[in-house]
Amino acid sequence: MKNKEKKKDSQINYLDLIPKKNEELRWHTDFKKRVILEVENRGIFNTIAQKIFGKPRFTKVHLDDMGTFVWPLIDGEKTVEDIGKLVKEEFGEKAEPLYPRIVKYFQIMESYHFVVFTNRSEG
């Protein structure tokens, strides 16, 4: 990450952001009620790998207990802080350190384009 991008990210208050699921992303729950995200492998190299080497069209990302709890809460209305409070109620001390952990979760989710922030200004 470039210094300019790091500085821009450090100025963002992630707790005020409102996450929304990527509408193109497929997902479901397994028999253990854990959320599984299905990421389509696109692009020429993925197409070649699928045809020649039999690679799957979709990669499955299995979320842990906390990620499975958070995923349905991402509705395009709740802020990261609102979701954090619900995580605290559900998991208690197991969620600590809560806010650094949940901010990192959403940074990762955004970097993989699993979520977008509806109120994030690109300034």
Side-chain angles (χ1 to χ4, degrees), residues 6-84:
K6 280 184 183 179
K7 188 175 181 184
K8 193 166 94 173
D9 261 3
S10 67
Q11 294 173 348
I12 297 170
N13 184 354
Y14 272 83
L15 298 181
D16 292 336
L17 295 179
I18 300 171
K20 181 180 175 199
K21 294 178 191 124
N22 180 341
E23 293 175 3
E24 295 179 11
L25 186 66
R26 295 171 29 173
W27 65 278
H28 66 276
T29 56
D30 65 7
F31 68 97
K32 292 182 179 179
K33 304 290 186 217
R34 289 204 174 155
V35 171
I36 299 173
L37 308 177
E38 296 181 10
V39 181
E40 186 172 6
N41 298 311
R42 298 180 182 172
I44 188 72
F45 293 113
N46 283 316
T47 302
I48 292 168
Q50 290 164 18
K51 291 183 180 188
I52 295 177
F53 301 113
K55 296 290 182 184
R57 182 171 172 205
F58 290 91
T59 298
K60 295 181 179 182
V61 178
H62 299 256
L63 300 183
D64 64 3
D65 290 338
M66 204 170 302
T68 293
F69 177 79
V70 169
W71 186 253
L73 298 174
I74 302 170
D75 59 4
E77 295 180 15
K78 292 180 189 73
T79 65
V80 171
E81 184 175 20
D82 296 336
I83 293 170

